[in-house]
PDB file of all heavy atoms in Angstrom:
ATOM      1  N   ASN A  44       6.584 -14.388   6.848  1.00 97.00           N
ATOM      2  CA  ASN A  44       7.185 -13.550   5.803  1.00 97.00           C
ATOM      3  C   ASN A  44       6.569 -13.855   4.438  1.00 97.00           C
ATOM      4  O   ASN A  44       7.101 -13.444   3.409  1.00 97.00           O
ATOM      5  CB  ASN A  44       8.698 -13.800   5.728  1.00 97.00           C
ATOM      6  CG  ASN A  44       9.377 -13.553   7.055  1.00 97.00           C
ATOM      7  OD1 ASN A  44       9.139 -12.551   7.707  1.00 97.00           O
ATOM      8  ND2 ASN A  44      10.221 -14.479   7.472  1.00 97.00           N
ATOM      9  N   SER A 103      20.654 -22.915  -1.931  1.00 96.00           N
ATOM     10  CA  SER A 103      19.677 -23.675  -1.157  1.00 96.00           C
ATOM     11  C   SER A 103      19.026 -22.849  -0.059  1.00 96.00           C
ATOM     12  O   SER A 103      17.978 -23.225   0.460  1.00 96.00           O
ATOM     13  CB  SER A 103      20.319 -24.933  -0.573  1.00 96.00           C
ATOM     14  OG  SER A 103      20.718 -25.768  -1.644  1.00 96.00           O
ATOM     15  N   SER A 104      19.636 -21.740   0.336  1.00 98.00           N
ATOM     16  CA  SER A 104      18.979 -20.832   1.282  1.00 98.00           C
ATOM     17  C   SER A 104      19.673 -19.469   1.223  1.00 98.00           C
ATOM     18  O   SER A 104      20.786 -19.351   0.698  1.00 98.00           O
ATOM     19  CB  SER A 104      19.035 -21.371   2.720  1.00 98.00           C
ATOM     20  OG  SER A 104      20.331 -21.220   3.248  1.00 98.00           O
ATOM     21  N   GLY A 105      19.006 -18.473   1.765  1.00 98.00           N
ATOM     22  CA  GLY A 105      19.571 -17.128   1.808  1.00 98.00           C
ATOM     23  C   GLY A 105      20.828 -17.085   2.676  1.00 98.00           C
ATOM     24  O   GLY A 105      21.792 -16.378   2.366  1.00 98.00           O
ATOM     25  N   TYR A 106      20.772 -17.849   3.748  1.00 98.00           N
ATOM     26  CA  TYR A 106      21.931 -17.909   4.640  1.00 98.00           C
ATOM     27  C   TYR A 106      23.163 -18.372   3.837  1.00 98.00           C
ATOM     28  O   TYR A 106      24.245 -17.780   3.920  1.00 98.00           O
ATOM     29  CB  TYR A 106      21.619 -18.904   5.765  1.00 98.00           C
ATOM     30  CG  TYR A 106      22.516 -18.806   6.967  1.00 98.00           C
ATOM     31  CD1 TYR A 106      22.044 -18.285   8.164  1.00 98.00           C
ATOM     32  CD2 TYR A 106      23.835 -19.247   6.925  1.00 98.00           C
ATOM     33  CE1 TYR A 106      22.865 -18.204   9.274  1.00 98.00           C
ATOM     34  CE2 TYR A 106      24.659 -19.164   8.030  1.00 98.00           C
ATOM     35  CZ  TYR A 106      24.170 -18.648   9.198  1.00 98.00           C
ATOM     36  OH  TYR A 106      24.980 -18.556  10.288  1.00 98.00           O
ATOM     37  N   MET A 107      22.973 -19.387   3.030  1.00 98.00           N
ATOM     38  CA  MET A 107      24.101 -19.923   2.265  1.00 98.00           C
ATOM     39  C   MET A 107      24.511 -18.995   1.125  1.00 98.00           C
ATOM     40  O   MET A 107      25.700 -18.903   0.794  1.00 98.00           O
ATOM     41  CB  MET A 107      23.738 -21.309   1.740  1.00 98.00           C
ATOM     42  CG  MET A 107      23.557 -22.269   2.897  1.00 98.00           C
ATOM     43  SD  MET A 107      22.720 -23.750   2.399  1.00 98.00           S
ATOM     44  CE  MET A 107      24.105 -24.727   1.964  1.00 98.00           C
ATOM     45  N   ASN A 109      24.421 -15.790   1.253  1.00 98.00           N
ATOM     46  CA  ASN A 109      25.223 -14.741   1.880  1.00 98.00           C
ATOM     47  C   ASN A 109      26.614 -15.235   2.249  1.00 98.00           C
ATOM     48  O   ASN A 109      27.605 -14.518   2.068  1.00 98.00           O
ATOM     49  CB  ASN A 109      24.505 -14.195   3.116  1.00 98.00           C
ATOM     50  CG  ASN A 109      23.390 -13.235   2.710  1.00 98.00           C
ATOM     51  OD1 ASN A 109      23.483 -12.564   1.683  1.00 98.00           O
ATOM     52  ND2 ASN A 109      22.337 -13.180   3.509  1.00 98.00           N
ATOM     53  N   HIS A 130      21.249  -8.389   8.962  1.00 96.00           N
ATOM     54  CA  HIS A 130      20.805  -9.733   9.324  1.00 96.00           C
ATOM     55  C   HIS A 130      21.973 -10.615   9.788  1.00 96.00           C
ATOM     56  O   HIS A 130      23.094 -10.478   9.289  1.00 96.00           O
ATOM     57  CB  HIS A 130      20.160 -10.365   8.087  1.00 96.00           C
ATOM     58  CG  HIS A 130      19.465 -11.660   8.357  1.00 96.00           C
ATOM     59  ND1 HIS A 130      20.026 -12.883   8.065  1.00 96.00           N
ATOM     60  CD2 HIS A 130      18.241 -11.914   8.885  1.00 96.00           C
ATOM     61  CE1 HIS A 130      19.169 -13.842   8.397  1.00 96.00           C
ATOM     62  NE2 HIS A 130      18.081 -13.284   8.890  1.00 96.00           N
ATOM     63  N   SER A 132      22.865 -13.543   9.158  1.00 97.00           N
ATOM     64  CA  SER A 132      23.582 -14.318   8.141  1.00 97.00           C
ATOM     65  C   SER A 132      24.665 -13.475   7.470  1.00 97.00           C
ATOM     66  O   SER A 132      25.690 -14.008   7.033  1.00 97.00           O
ATOM     67  CB  SER A 132      22.611 -14.865   7.088  1.00 97.00           C
ATOM     68  OG  SER A 132      21.953 -13.818   6.414  1.00 97.00           O
ATOM     69  N   LEU A 133      24.434 -12.171   7.377  1.00 98.00           N
ATOM     70  CA  LEU A 133      25.435 -11.283   6.764  1.00 98.00           C
ATOM     71  C   LEU A 133      26.628 -11.118   7.703  1.00 98.00           C
ATOM     72  O   LEU A 133      27.788 -11.082   7.260  1.00 98.00           O
ATOM     73  CB  LEU A 133      24.816  -9.920   6.447  1.00 98.00           C
ATOM     74  CG  LEU A 133      23.718  -9.946   5.377  1.00 98.00           C
ATOM     75  CD1 LEU A 133      23.011  -8.606   5.294  1.00 98.00           C
ATOM     76  CD2 LEU A 133      24.300 -10.324   4.031  1.00 98.00           C
ATOM     77  N   ASP A 175      21.390  -4.986   4.390  1.00 98.00           N
ATOM     78  CA  ASP A 175      20.020  -5.435   4.125  1.00 98.00           C
ATOM     79  C   ASP A 175      19.398  -4.400   3.202  1.00 98.00           C
ATOM     80  O   ASP A 175      19.738  -3.208   3.294  1.00 98.00           O
ATOM     81  CB  ASP A 175      19.185  -5.421   5.419  1.00 98.00           C
ATOM     82  CG  ASP A 175      19.380  -6.637   6.321  1.00 98.00           C
ATOM     83  OD1 ASP A 175      20.450  -7.247   6.282  1.00 98.00           O
ATOM     84  OD2 ASP A 175      18.443  -6.935   7.082  1.00 98.00           O
ATOM     85  N   VAL A 177      15.681  -4.173   2.885  1.00 98.00           N
ATOM     86  CA  VAL A 177      14.691  -3.855   3.924  1.00 98.00           C
ATOM     87  C   VAL A 177      15.184  -4.540   5.195  1.00 98.00           C
ATOM     88  O   VAL A 177      15.486  -5.736   5.177  1.00 98.00           O
ATOM     89  CB  VAL A 177      13.298  -4.412   3.551  1.00 98.00           C
ATOM     90  CG1 VAL A 177      12.316  -4.203   4.698  1.00 98.00           C
ATOM     91  CG2 VAL A 177      12.787  -3.769   2.266  1.00 98.00           C
ATOM     92  N   SER A 179      15.264  -6.533   8.467  1.00 94.00           N
ATOM     93  CA  SER A 179      14.314  -7.596   8.791  1.00 94.00           C
ATOM     94  C   SER A 179      13.563  -7.382  10.098  1.00 94.00           C
ATOM     95  O   SER A 179      12.442  -7.849  10.238  1.00 94.00           O
ATOM     96  CB  SER A 179      15.033  -8.939   8.800  1.00 94.00           C
ATOM     97  OG  SER A 179      16.169  -8.908   9.630  1.00 94.00           O
ATOM     98  N   ASP A 204      21.198  -7.341   0.360  1.00 98.00           N
ATOM     99  CA  ASP A 204      20.410  -8.530   0.674  1.00 98.00           C
ATOM    100  C   ASP A 204      18.949  -8.086   0.784  1.00 98.00           C
ATOM    101  O   ASP A 204      18.536  -7.507   1.781  1.00 98.00           O
ATOM    102  CB  ASP A 204      20.913  -9.134   1.986  1.00 98.00           C
ATOM    103  CG  ASP A 204      20.050 -10.295   2.466  1.00 98.00           C
ATOM    104  OD1 ASP A 204      18.988 -10.564   1.854  1.00 98.00           O
ATOM    105  OD2 ASP A 204      20.430 -10.923   3.468  1.00 98.00           O
ATOM    106  N   ASP A 205      18.203  -8.357  -0.286  1.00 98.00           N
ATOM    107  CA  ASP A 205      16.833  -7.842  -0.362  1.00 98.00           C
ATOM    108  C   ASP A 205      15.792  -8.914  -0.014  1.00 98.00           C
ATOM    109  O   ASP A 205      14.725  -8.987  -0.630  1.00 98.00           O
ATOM    110  CB  ASP A 205      16.583  -7.287  -1.773  1.00 98.00           C
ATOM    111  CG  ASP A 205      15.487  -6.230  -1.788  1.00 98.00           C
ATOM    112  OD1 ASP A 205      15.212  -5.660  -0.715  1.00 98.00           O
ATOM    113  OD2 ASP A 205      14.914  -5.988  -2.862  1.00 98.00           O
ATOM    114  N   ALA A 206      16.114  -9.703   1.009  1.00 98.00           N
ATOM    115  CA  ALA A 206      15.226 -10.802   1.416  1.00 98.00           C
ATOM    116  C   ALA A 206      13.781 -10.337   1.623  1.00 98.00           C
ATOM    117  O   ALA A 206      12.840 -11.039   1.270  1.00 98.00           O
ATOM    118  CB  ALA A 206      15.752 -11.441   2.699  1.00 98.00           C
ATOM    119  N   HIS A 207      13.616  -9.144   2.194  1.00 98.00           N
ATOM    120  CA  HIS A 207      12.251  -8.677   2.513  1.00 98.00           C
ATOM    121  C   HIS A 207      11.714  -7.668   1.509  1.00 98.00           C
ATOM    122  O   HIS A 207      10.625  -7.135   1.696  1.00 98.00           O
ATOM    123  CB  HIS A 207      12.219  -8.075   3.924  1.00 98.00           C
ATOM    124  CG  HIS A 207      12.556  -9.066   4.983  1.00 98.00           C
ATOM    125  ND1 HIS A 207      11.635  -9.919   5.530  1.00 98.00           N
ATOM    126  CD2 HIS A 207      13.744  -9.376   5.555  1.00 98.00           C
ATOM    127  CE1 HIS A 207      12.224 -10.696   6.407  1.00 98.00           C
ATOM    128  NE2 HIS A 207      13.508 -10.390   6.443  1.00 98.00           N
ATOM    129  N   THR A 236      15.877 -13.764  -1.492  1.00 98.00           N
ATOM    130  CA  THR A 236      15.498 -15.068  -0.947  1.00 98.00           C
ATOM    131  C   THR A 236      14.137 -15.455  -1.499  1.00 98.00           C
ATOM    132  O   THR A 236      13.336 -14.609  -1.887  1.00 98.00           O
ATOM    133  CB  THR A 236      15.501 -15.087   0.597  1.00 98.00           C
ATOM    134  OG1 THR A 236      14.513 -14.183   1.063  1.00 98.00           O
ATOM    135  CG2 THR A 236      16.851 -14.681   1.138  1.00 98.00           C
ATOM    136  N   LEU A 237      13.889 -16.755  -1.547  1.00 98.00           N
ATOM    137  CA  LEU A 237      12.670 -17.276  -2.174  1.00 98.00           C
ATOM    138  C   LEU A 237      11.686 -17.817  -1.138  1.00 98.00           C
ATOM    139  O   LEU A 237      10.576 -18.210  -1.467  1.00 98.00           O
ATOM    140  CB  LEU A 237      13.053 -18.361  -3.189  1.00 98.00           C
ATOM    141  CG  LEU A 237      14.062 -17.873  -4.250  1.00 98.00           C
ATOM    142  CD1 LEU A 237      14.583 -19.027  -5.092  1.00 98.00           C
ATOM    143  CD2 LEU A 237      13.434 -16.800  -5.135  1.00 98.00           C
ATOM    144  N   GLY A 238      12.096 -17.831   0.109  1.00 98.00           N
ATOM    145  CA  GLY A 238      11.234 -18.369   1.174  1.00 98.00           C
ATOM    146  C   GLY A 238      10.305 -17.325   1.767  1.00 98.00           C
ATOM    147  O   GLY A 238       9.493 -17.641   2.643  1.00 98.00           O
ATOM    148  N   LYS A 239      10.408 -16.098   1.317  1.00 98.00           N
ATOM    149  CA  LYS A 239       9.560 -15.037   1.885  1.00 98.00           C
ATOM    150  C   LYS A 239       8.452 -14.669   0.887  1.00 98.00           C
ATOM    151  O   LYS A 239       7.534 -15.447   0.714  1.00 98.00           O
ATOM    152  CB  LYS A 239      10.440 -13.883   2.321  1.00 98.00           C
ATOM    153  CG  LYS A 239      11.222 -14.323   3.570  1.00 98.00           C
ATOM    154  CD  LYS A 239      12.368 -13.493   3.982  1.00 98.00           C
ATOM    155  CE  LYS A 239      13.004 -14.140   5.215  1.00 98.00           C
ATOM    156  NZ  LYS A 239      14.394 -13.822   5.394  1.00 98.00           N
ATOM    157  N   PHE A 244      11.165 -21.669  -1.333  1.00 98.00           N
ATOM    158  CA  PHE A 244      12.362 -21.948  -0.546  1.00 98.00           C
ATOM    159  C   PHE A 244      13.585 -21.729  -1.416  1.00 98.00           C
ATOM    160  O   PHE A 244      13.537 -21.946  -2.627  1.00 98.00           O
ATOM    161  CB  PHE A 244      12.341 -23.406  -0.059  1.00 98.00           C
ATOM    162  CG  PHE A 244      13.349 -23.687   1.012  1.00 98.00           C
ATOM    163  CD1 PHE A 244      13.195 -23.176   2.285  1.00 98.00           C
ATOM    164  CD2 PHE A 244      14.478 -24.462   0.738  1.00 98.00           C
ATOM    165  CE1 PHE A 244      14.138 -23.427   3.281  1.00 98.00           C
ATOM    166  CE2 PHE A 244      15.417 -24.710   1.725  1.00 98.00           C
ATOM    167  CZ  PHE A 244      15.235 -24.199   2.995  1.00 98.00           C
ATOM    168  N   GLY A 245      14.667 -21.305  -0.803  1.00 98.00           N
ATOM    169  CA  GLY A 245      15.900 -21.114  -1.552  1.00 98.00           C
ATOM    170  C   GLY A 245      16.237 -19.637  -1.664  1.00 98.00           C
ATOM    171  O   GLY A 245      15.625 -18.787  -1.008  1.00 98.00           O
ATOM    172  N   ALA A 246      17.232 -19.335  -2.493  1.00 98.00           N
ATOM    173  CA  ALA A 246      17.679 -17.948  -2.640  1.00 98.00           C
ATOM    174  C   ALA A 246      18.466 -17.828  -3.929  1.00 98.00           C
ATOM    175  O   ALA A 246      18.748 -18.838  -4.588  1.00 98.00           O
ATOM    176  CB  ALA A 246      18.556 -17.549  -1.455  1.00 98.00           C
TER     177      ALA A 246
HETATM  178  C1  PLP B 401      15.518 -14.526   6.048  1.00 81.25           C
HETATM  179  C2  PLP B 401      16.741 -13.786   5.709  1.00 81.25           C
HETATM  180  C3  PLP B 401      17.870 -14.443   5.225  1.00 81.25           C
HETATM  181  C4  PLP B 401      17.969 -15.935   5.188  1.00 81.25           C
HETATM  182  O1  PLP B 401      17.279 -16.482   4.130  1.00 81.25           O
HETATM  183  P1  PLP B 401      16.899 -18.011   4.201  1.00 81.25           P
HETATM  184  O2  PLP B 401      16.535 -18.377   2.817  1.00 81.25           O
HETATM  185  O3  PLP B 401      15.743 -18.102   5.163  1.00 81.25           O
HETATM  186  O4  PLP B 401      18.103 -18.744   4.718  1.00 81.25           O
HETATM  187  C5  PLP B 401      18.940 -13.688   4.806  1.00 81.25           C
HETATM  188  N1  PLP B 401      18.919 -12.352   4.901  1.00 81.25           N
HETATM  189  C6  PLP B 401      17.863 -11.677   5.395  1.00 81.25           C
HETATM  190  C7  PLP B 401      17.905 -10.193   5.470  1.00 81.25           C
HETATM  191  C8  PLP B 401      16.747 -12.375   5.823  1.00 81.25           C
HETATM  192  O5  PLP B 401      15.715 -11.737   6.346  1.00 81.25           O
END
Side-chain angles (χ1 to χ4, degrees):
N44 303 313
S103 296
S104 75
Y106 197 108
M107 295 165 91
N109 282 330
H130 189 259
S132 61
L133 294 171
D175 279 27
V177 174
S179 53
D204 174 354
D205 205 21
H207 297 276
T236 64
L237 304 171
K239 289 166 181 155
F244 194 71

